[in-house]
Amino acid sequence: MARELTMKQKVFLDVLFEQANGDMVQAKKIAGYADSSSTSEIIKGLKEEILEATQMYMARNAPKAAMAMTGALYDPTELGIRDKMSAAKELLDRVGLVKTEKMQVEASGGVMLMPPKAVIEEEDE
């Protein structure tokens, strides 16, 4: 069950990844907290909500990362493409779109071990 947040907490979360560009102090100011309010205390009180908002932000940007990766196919000489690809890969890994690895096993000759056959015991009459 989601807990009830104050209006300032809601605004803080709403602006954190928008106007504040991830800057906690800037989000605190925009939300209307006093300068004397402890940023650490605000963050401590919103830890779970901040983590959830971060996951949502990463998920919102996953399509951009995917576009960057496929864009490299069309323009592999783009300036800074290696850094862009690395950042895109990291973001996609964090949202759960990890590279799948397939392992192919080949055997030539050799022996295949099979489990023992089940023994069926006959009942004595």
Side-chain angles (χ1 to χ4, degrees), residues 53-102:
T54 302
Q55 288 176 325
M56 289 300 295
Y57 179 77
M58 297 289 276
R60 280 197 316 261
N61 284 283
K64 288 181 187 176
M67 295 298 292
M69 292 191 94
T70 55
L73 296 172
Y74 299 106
D75 186 8
T77 61
E78 178 186 342
L79 191 61
I81 192 69
R82 288 181 194 260
D83 293 335
K84 193 175 188 180
M85 293 295 291
S86 178
K89 178 193 174 304
E90 290 294 324
L91 190 142
L92 291 172
D93 284 351
R94 280 165 178 67
V95 296
L97 294 171
V98 295
K99 178 175 89 171
T100 56
E101 297 200 18
K102 295 182 180 178

Side-chain angles (χ1 to χ4, degrees), residues 103-114:
M103 187 183 332
Q104 186 173 353
V105 178
E106 293 182 23
S108 58
V111 176
M112 180 181 288
L113 299 175
M114 300 290 289

Side-chain angles (χ1 to χ4, degrees), residues 5-68:
L5 300 177
T6 68
M7 184 56 81
K8 286 182 183 178
Q9 288 174 321
K10 288 177 185 176
V11 172
F12 178 90
L13 292 168
D14 287 344
V15 302
L16 184 58
F17 289 102
E18 300 298 329
Q19 296 101 308
N21 289 316
D23 184 329
M24 301 281 190
V25 175
Q26 186 66 26
K28 176 180 92 168
K29 289 178 183 175
I30 295 170
Y33 284 96
D35 288 338
S36 59
S37 297
S38 167
T39 305
S40 297
E41 287 301 313
I42 295 168
I43 294 167
K44 190 185 300 181
L46 291 171
K47 180 182 174 188
E48 292 301 317
E49 290 82 1
I50 291 170
L51 290 174
E52 185 176 317
T54 302
Q55 288 176 325
M56 289 300 295
Y57 179 77
M58 297 289 276
R60 280 197 316 261
N61 284 283
K64 288 181 187 176
M67 295 298 292

